[in-house]
Amino acid sequence: MPPVKEYKIESISETPPTHLDIKQTAELKQFLEEQGLYESVAESSLREEVLGTLDKLVKDWVKTIGRAAELADSFVSDSNAKIFTFGSYRLGVHGPGADIDTLCVGPRHVSRETDFFGLEPHCLQAMLLELSGVTQLQAVKDSYVPVIKFQLHGISIDLLYAQLQLSVVPEDLDVRAQSTLRNCDEQSVRALNGCRVTDTILAEVGASQISDFRIALKAMKLWAERRGVYSNVTGFLGGVNWAILVAYICRLYPKGVASTIMLRFFKIYCNWRWPTPIVLQQIDHQNPMGMKQWDPRLDYRDQSHLMPIITPAYPCMNSSYNVSDSTLKIMMDEFMRGVTICDDFLSRSGKVSWARLFEEDNFFQQFKNYLQIEVVAADEQQFRAWEGWVHSRLRQLVRRLETSVGVRPWPKPIKSPGHGPQSYSTLYYMGLKKRSTQMTATTLSRASNNSVNLNGPVNEFRHLVMSWDDWQEGMDVVVRHMKQKDLPPFVLTDGQEGPTASAAASEASAVADALEQTAETPVEGQKRKRAEDQAAALVGIKKPNIAFEPEVVRAPSASPRRAESMDHDTYSAAPSGMRAESELHVDTLTGAPQAPSGSRSTSEIGQADLHAAEAEADMTEAGDVGEWLGMDSTRKVVADAASVNGLNETDASQQHILSKKTSSTQSAETPAGAPSTNATLFAKQKKPMVVRFNS
């Protein structure tokens, strides 16, 4: 086994902030306030009142259970439960209307299954329903981490439960202590991990820098949302990822103020040698409790992670395993854009125009071809569940498409006005372009045929989403190819002109298309272009342009009942993960940063590895809760199958998926004489969805 690798953080600069740094920070905070990112004093006070009410309720709840179980009066009086917060609220970076991620910690005699959930009078779910001010309560028992979602006096709450192996929960309980996890069930460990990760991030930043950390994190989240790279589930980064990245910069610049953190953020991560991991706190490889944690020495799937950002609390996990080749390239491009703008700030003697950095991405002007995914359901409750499921699977479509075409998913859903009041619909879009590299034997053959058939990726995606266990009549998903000029006008964000509105807009679109074919810098882009042109000349291929045949792919109304539902100023002192500017290595064809020798991209790990990777279950779609919680549950299913049947995990993973496919086919009820649902689902499209390259 390879030796344990230490990821030490050494500060780059401990220079105190200048008057200019402080002035820029004040301007940044003012800009954020103008964007409406700070809640009012009244709303802040209401949140505190709501949390106080909830804490009192859970304390009464635990005593009620003790009396119902006829426990001794002295024991009942000592019984206690405690409310903790985590996520954006605990970090202090929440905005107006944001929900509060909360955790209820209870003693060992209070069960999640029989006491937390349930409609019996002693259950917390029932007590919440009776509580004045509670609305929209939804109990989600079967998710990755079970949760009760509700609103209390208009404040949205996501409430988890952790059952500790303690007879009495002390008021001064330290959830960061590893002993808190001892003998807890897996769901309790996951629930506790949200609080443990949040508190560890705050501890790593330090009290003297907390205020600047919060300003910088608010700014980075706003930036990521406007640039279309804020979405863990779509393959970008979510709240916990951005928090860890910003905290890491704080460690490199322990005296840096918010503006310094922002300006250095882009420079550091643009030059980072991915997949070198971001490790905020050293991983405890002694693993005192034997829990599964991120370790590429032991798990080949951890080796395939492209942008590992490791949670800083035991058991350490990669919080960004959803990142794909395409989304990593997009984020690196955005980091480079940030570097360019920030360098321009510095060249202007510190005159900063923060609005320029936070400009909305003009996604709907960047591409000539788009894929539209429409999610439809019959009623509001059905739609909420269905839309969340399809959204969580979109990254699988990205992974399938990126082997054939360049793909840029847009994480923001767009409400569709095209359906009546009795139907609910939303739209997701992906930009499509020619892959930058055409030099492999497969892609050369594809280029010579001037076409790429997208039926395979689209059909696999349809099968995945339509095979959901909870699918109901009325749930549908429609995939369409659309030219830019055919986009519906309502998809354009405020301030964006339509694709044919003016010659200037057309020119901007052409420039954007050209920039997409370049590398991160003009020099690298020229290298890539020369290499591509020379290779194309050798095989006699003219530079292709993308043209699609419009096609609609509609999922059938019937569905199998089972699913693959797994689902600085100098760099001499730079940390080992960061590359100095003179050391940057970029693929001359794609412009993508090259991984260190021995690492594997998603497209390289092979079919068996890909099946195993896709078998990883998603973190639950319960607001931002899932982003802060631990590992996937399917690994345990696969590992158990491997141990029982004597298989390695790759074979076990494929067998697990195959068994689900088989049960999916067998469990679908088909009328006599009619073709099977499975046959209907996988029938080839008569008109293939084809990418044509015009010679």
Side-chain angles (χ1 to χ4, degrees), residues 296-308:
R297 302 174 308 147
L298 303 176
D299 194 327
Y300 70 93
R301 287 171 296 189
D302 291 344
Q303 298 173 16
S304 69
H305 293 170
L306 302 179
M307 193 181 187

Side-chain angles (χ1 to χ4, degrees), residues 266-267 270 334-344 581:
F266 296 107
K267 183 75 77 174
C270 180
E334 289 297 332
F335 292 158
M336 178 59 75
R337 173 186 175 273
V339 168
T340 303
I341 294 175
C342 291
D343 283 348
D344 186 49
E581 290 182 284

Side-chain angles (χ1 to χ4, degrees), residues 361-380:
D361 184 78
N362 59 343
F363 170 75
F364 291 104
Q365 295 179 9
Q366 292 181 24
F367 301 90
K368 297 177 181 177
N369 298 276
Y370 293 84
L371 211 60
Q372 181 194 76
I373 300 95
E374 183 176 16
V375 185
V376 183
D379 59 62
E380 184 176 3

Side-chain angles (χ1 to χ4, degrees), residues 513-529:
D513 284 345
L515 288 175
E516 287 173 349
Q517 302 299 327
T518 66
E520 278 83 352
T521 68
V523 172
E524 292 156 356
Q526 292 170 6
K527 290 180 180 179
R528 180 205 57 76
K529 186 177 185 301

Side-chain angles (χ1 to χ4, degrees), residues 175-411:
V175 293
R176 288 185 60 199
Q178 284 192 16
S179 58
T180 307
L181 305 176
R182 186 168 291 119
N183 298 323
C184 287
D185 62 89
E186 287 187 9
Q187 291 176 327
S188 293
V189 171
R190 294 174 196 148
L192 286 163
N193 217 33
C195 293
R196 289 164 49 77
V197 167
T198 307
D199 288 355
T200 304
I201 290 174
L202 293 173
E204 288 293 313
V205 170
S208 64
Q209 214 176 8
I210 283 293
S211 176
D212 290 289
F213 165 77
R214 287 170 172 161
I215 295 172
L217 181 53
K218 270 183 177 285
M220 286 310 308
K221 291 176 69 173
L222 176 65
W223 174 86
E225 287 176 357
R226 292 192 171 179
R227 302 306 300 172
V229 292
Y230 189 97
S231 174
N232 183 290
V233 71
T234 312
F236 295 108
L237 302 181
V240 64
N241 310 129
W242 295 110
I244 294 173
L245 292 180
V246 173
Y248 195 88
I249 301 299
C250 290
R251 290 289 304 275
L252 297 180
Y253 296 89
K255 294 186 178 180
V257 291
S259 61
T260 304
I261 296 168
M262 283 288 294
L263 297 175
R264 298 294 182 259
F265 182 99
F266 296 107
K267 183 75 77 174
I268 295 293
Y269 293 121
C270 180
N271 293 327
W272 193 262
R273 290 187 180 98
W274 303 109
T276 301
I278 297 294
V279 181
L280 196 57
Q281 190 176 78
Q282 290 300 314
I283 301 172
D284 186 358
H285 289 284
Q286 293 183 354
N287 202 356
M289 296 188 182
M291 296 182 180
K292 175 73 179 96
Q293 60 177 355
W294 187 82
D295 192 344
R297 302 174 308 147
L298 303 176
D299 194 327
Y300 70 93
R301 287 171 296 189
D302 291 344
Q303 298 173 16
S304 69
H305 293 170
L306 302 179
M307 193 181 187
I309 302 172
I310 310 305
T311 56
Y314 177 84
C316 298
M317 288 293 159
N318 177 21
S319 62
S320 55
Y321 68 82
N322 286 345
V323 173
S324 68
D325 290 302
S326 295
T327 54
L328 176 58
K329 173 65 165 60
I330 292 163
M331 287 187 283
M332 293 300 289
D333 288 343
E334 289 297 332
F335 292 158
M336 178 59 75
R337 173 186 175 273
V339 168
T340 303
I341 294 175
C342 291
D343 283 348
D344 186 49
F345 290 165
L346 298 176
S347 68
R348 296 172 182 267
S349 302
K351 185 177 181 181
V352 177
S353 173
W354 292 111
R356 180 183 166 200
L357 181 65
F358 291 91
E359 287 177 355
E360 293 270 3
D361 184 78
N362 59 343
F363 170 75
F364 291 104
Q365 295 179 9
Q366 292 181 24
F367 301 90
K368 297 177 181 177
N369 298 276
Y370 293 84
L371 211 60
Q372 181 194 76
I373 300 95
E374 183 176 16
V375 185
V376 183
D379 59 62
E380 184 176 3
Q381 183 176 1
Q382 187 186 89
F383 174 76
R384 220 171 19 239
W386 177 238
E387 193 274 339
W389 165 251
V390 176
H391 185 203
S392 72
R393 300 290 92 188
L394 286 179
R395 79 175 193 278
Q396 301 292 358
L397 178 58
V398 173
R399 289 183 185 273
R400 287 164 169 82
L401 288 172
E402 68 185 3
T403 62
S404 303
V405 295
V407 56
R408 201 281 193 225
W410 188 244

